[in-house]
Amino acid sequence: MKRIRSLFLAIFCICLCAGSALAAQTNLTFYFPVSVGGPITKIVEGMTQEFMKENPDIKITPVYSGNYRDTITKALTAQRGGEPPHVAVLLSTDMFTLIDENAIVSYDEIVGKDNMAFTKDYFPGFMRNSQTEGKTWGIPFQRSTIVMYWNKEMFKEAGLDPEKGPATWQELVEMGKKLTKKDESGKVTQWGVAIPSTGYAYWMLQALAITNGVELMNDAGNKVFFDNPKNIEALQFLTDLAYKYEVSPKGTIDWSTTPRDFFERKTAIMWTTTGNLTNVRTNAKFPFGVGMLPANTRLGSPTGGGNFYIFKNSTPEERKAAVKFVQWMTTAERAAQWGIDTGYVAVRPDAWKTERMETYVKGFPYAAVARDQLAHAVPELSTHENQRVTKALDDAIQASVNGSKKPDAALKDAQREADRILRRYQK
């Protein structure tokens, strides 16, 4: 009888301990966008599984929520419904919108200002889109710049040096003409240049604006300069690639299909995120080059990609668990591996000094192009009510490349709309 009693007592204790452990587990929902090709979801799934093995008291449930725009829409809809994610990767440019929506909490508030030294581990260029008014709202993770890819075989066939991409706007046009091919009927079978004008059209125009010596917005996120003559000149150049120089398709060029067109040899040069680097390396069945964007008056690119944000509607325990997850995901070793696996820029300088990254760059030097371009980069277009402001600019770009508006008229219309939206944020 004593044995039976002891056995029941032991079982009761085991159940009690198991129940306590289960009760102590912190559950986090993690929204994650996918905007490039390649097995990104599998990589993220592997990372979250590894984190949970090392931290059995924290359960992470990843939710793959479409592209960045889909993800912020879903996150804010969930926020308004009272059930937002605990942590999400959203565009760095969504920072002002998330603050205005009272959706996120600063890292300073969670860990305390005396414990914020870890933010100095990340590239300053990425932190510029992560901090405002003395607080850190986002931690860089899936970050990028725009880079230029070219097909070396096509360059060689056109009598061009396959190891050198165009370094200036003028060279982009000159090489584009040599790379554009037509059949006997006059139909183009191979384009020289493809710069996407859907999906992230504003980002591509910003790249042209920067390389033309101007920026699109101020640091406070309450004023834009869309109708600056230099920006109009940049949009005119983008439009001229198709209509004047005839080295690029007329009309819009789709963001999502541009890499496939590159793989299928429909275009010799493309501009896209460095986040597509691993996708290109895997799927391009030809030698390719990667370089910084061609300059007109200066080198440059906008930064891009996503930050980790922590949502305000969460308990202190959930917030601390979320910070632990974010810091774990962005250690030097993991940032290095993430960069290798995806092509995104490893977000901290010490990641580039790890043995695995140094070995990788030695064997594949193009991996360092986006990192080196950071020295010339500026923050991506980010304003209050960013989705509405960027939509005004996207609409202007598409009207211009479709031929329904002249670049100057299109950008003046976008400026008026942006001024109307941002007026309430100007003190």
Side-chain angles (χ1 to χ4, degrees):
M1 192 72 178
K2 284 183 180 179
R3 273 187 191 175
I4 294 173
R5 216 180 278 131
S6 297
L7 181 61
F8 275 124
L9 185 61
I11 292 171
F12 176 76
C13 288
I14 290 169
C15 290
L16 185 64
C17 291
S20 298
L22 190 62
Q25 188 176 62
T26 303
N27 297 304
L28 301 179
T29 302
F30 168 37
Y31 277 20
F32 187 83
V34 179
S35 281
V36 300
I40 298 286
T41 55
K42 290 181 181 178
I43 296 168
V44 172
E45 187 70 33
M47 293 176 79
T48 54
Q49 289 295 329
E50 186 182 347
F51 173 80
M52 288 188 289
K53 282 182 184 177
E54 294 183 21
N55 299 274
D57 58 326
I58 302 173
K59 181 182 178 183
I60 308 289
T61 303
V63 177
Y64 305 107
S65 39
N67 62 26
Y68 281 114
R69 286 184 175 172
D70 295 335
T71 302
I72 191 171
T73 298
K74 290 175 183 176
L76 289 178
T77 299
Q79 159 79 11
R80 290 161 191 151
E83 294 185 1
H86 299 95
V87 60
V89 171
L90 301 168
L91 283 173
S92 61
T93 57
D94 289 327
M95 178 179 66
F96 289 112
T97 298
L98 292 164
I99 293 170
D100 293 341
E101 290 278 345
N102 199 29
I104 56 174
V105 60
S106 72
Y107 284 80
D108 311 65
E109 185 176 334
I110 301 171
V111 306
K113 282 203 171 287
D114 293 339
N115 299 308
M116 292 297 293
F118 75 95
T119 60
K120 297 188 185 330
D121 294 336
Y122 305 96
F123 280 111
F126 289 144
M127 292 307 295
R128 282 186 64 188
N129 263 139
S130 308
Q131 298 170 319
T132 189
E133 296 182 352
K135 293 183 179 180
T136 298
W137 300 90
I139 294 297
F141 175 59
Q142 184 169 283
R143 299 302 302 270
S144 58
T145 64
I146 303 168
V147 293
M148 175 178 59
Y149 301 79
W150 68 88
N151 183 318
K152 290 185 177 182
E153 287 181 353
M154 289 181 176
F155 269 56
K156 195 171 181 179
E157 290 169 4
L160 299 170
D161 183 347
E163 302 304 320
K164 292 182 180 179
T168 65
W169 286 12
Q170 183 179 351
E171 287 184 1
L172 183 67
V173 171
E174 290 171 353
M175 291 184 182
K177 288 179 178 178
K178 292 180 179 180
L179 291 161
T180 300
K181 289 184 177 180
K182 296 180 180 180
D183 61 19
E184 292 180 358
S185 67
K187 181 181 177 182
V188 174
T189 57
Q190 174 184 300
W191 289 106
V193 183
I195 299 176
S197 51
T198 71
Y200 303 97
Y202 72 89
W203 199 36
M204 295 293 155
L205 180 65
Q206 188 179 5
L208 287 163
I210 292 164
T211 55
N212 202 33
V214 290
E215 296 189 26
L216 293 182
M217 77 291 179
N218 65 357
D219 288 340
N222 61 9
K223 190 170 181 57
V224 297
F225 316 114
F226 296 162
D227 61 352
N228 180 297
K230 290 276 189 180
N231 287 328
I232 294 172
E233 187 179 324
L235 183 54
Q236 184 68 60
F237 179 73
L238 179 64
T239 305
D240 284 348
L241 288 174
Y243 292 92
K244 180 178 179 180
Y245 304 120
E246 298 184 331
V247 298
S248 189
K250 293 180 175 66
T252 55
I253 297 175
D254 190 71
W255 166 269
S256 61
T257 61
T258 299
R260 187 179 67 208
D261 290 343
F262 185 67
F263 303 150
E264 294 176 355
R265 295 176 169 83
K266 293 178 182 178
T267 185
I269 298 170
M270 73 166 173
W271 290 20
T272 189
T273 171
T274 185
N276 263 318
L277 182 59
T278 299
N279 182 33
V280 173
R281 192 180 189 195
T282 301
N283 292 297
K285 307 305 179 186
F286 48 80
F288 63 90
V290 183
M292 295 187 194
L293 300 182
N296 194 33
T297 63
R298 57 158 287 191
L299 290 171
S301 168
T303 57
N307 285 339
F308 276 112
Y309 297 100
I310 297 175
F311 278 69
K312 185 173 282 190
N313 189 5
S314 52
T315 67
E317 292 75 20
E318 289 167 343
R319 293 179 183 184
K320 288 177 182 176
V323 171
K324 188 174 186 178
F325 175 59
V326 170
Q327 290 179 319
W328 187 94
M329 291 284 280
T330 59
T331 62
E333 286 289 341
R334 291 186 189 91
Q337 192 61 55
W338 173 255
I340 293 167
D341 289 343
T342 64
Y344 283 103
V345 185
V347 293
R348 40 195 296 165
D350 55 354
W352 294 88
K353 297 176 183 177
T354 60
E355 183 179 351
R356 69 179 66 184
M357 183 58 88
E358 287 182 341
T359 300
Y360 180 64
V361 171
K362 187 176 180 180
F364 185 52
Y366 292 143
V369 170
R371 177 202 65 187
D372 295 343
Q373 192 169 234
L374 280 176
H376 311 285
V378 302
E380 184 178 357
L381 173 62
S382 180
T383 68
H384 294 275
E385 301 201 42
N386 199 62
Q387 297 291 312
R388 295 174 66 197
V389 172
T390 56
K391 183 180 185 304
L393 184 56
D394 282 346
D395 290 347
I397 295 164
Q398 288 169 17
S400 180
V401 299
N402 281 326
S404 60
K405 286 184 183 179
K406 297 291 184 183
D408 59 343
L411 287 179
K412 285 175 182 175
D413 287 346
Q415 182 71 44
R416 279 191 290 272
E417 176 65 7
D419 286 343
R420 186 186 67 79
I421 294 167
L422 295 173
R423 190 171 296 120
R424 59 183 291 204
Y425 301 101
Q426 296 168 0
K427 297 176 183 178

